[in-house]
């Protein structure tokens, strides 16, 4: 039996003051978050110092995670996150 948890993740990374945030989707959130913290994640996160996981939610399919990510992005663009 595999010890890896099935499912995919949508997550939000932020800087210390939460001025800038990054919303992403991954299948392996533990490895992915470690990459962000060590500077090996996305260039955007490294440039902006986004190394804090502030929220994560698991779903059974990657399609559900992508749909959730899009809803969060639309809400943030419309200012509903403030």
């Amino acid at each position: 039996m595999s010890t890896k948890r099935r499912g995919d993740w949508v997550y939000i990374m932020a800087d210390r003051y939460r001025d800038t945030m990054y919303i992403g989707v991954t299948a392996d959130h533990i490895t992915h978050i470690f990459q962000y913290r060590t500077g090996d994640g996305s260039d955007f996160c490294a440039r902006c110092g986004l190394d804090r996981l502030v929220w994560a939610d698991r779903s059974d399919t990657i399609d559900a995670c992508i749909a959730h990510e899009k809803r969060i992005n639309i809400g943030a663009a419309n200012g509903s996150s403030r």
Side-chain angles (χ1 to χ4, degrees):
M1 178 193 273
S2 174
T3 59
K4 186 175 180 181
R5 188 173 180 183
R6 296 189 142 234
D8 299 299
W9 295 82
V10 59
Y11 61 93
I12 299 176
M13 299 293 295
D15 64 349
R16 180 177 176 186
Y17 302 104
R18 300 197 178 40
D19 293 330
T20 306
M21 294 189 189
Y22 175 83
I23 303 166
V25 172
T26 184
D28 185 1
H29 73 292
I30 294 172
T31 301
H32 216 76
I33 301 310
F34 179 76
Q35 289 172 339
Y36 284 118
R37 289 185 159 235
T38 60
D40 294 329
S42 74
D43 290 336
F44 175 78
C45 287
R47 269 194 327 271
C48 296
L50 307 182
D51 60 356
R52 294 171 189 248
L53 176 67
V54 295
W55 181 83
D57 188 33
R58 190 182 75 80
S59 188
D60 292 331
T61 67
I62 194 71
D63 293 332
C65 285
I66 292 169
H68 197 162
E69 176 191 24
K70 289 180 181 181
R71 284 191 304 272
I72 294 168
N73 278 322
I74 289 170
N78 291 334
S80 65
S81 63
R82 292 187 184 234

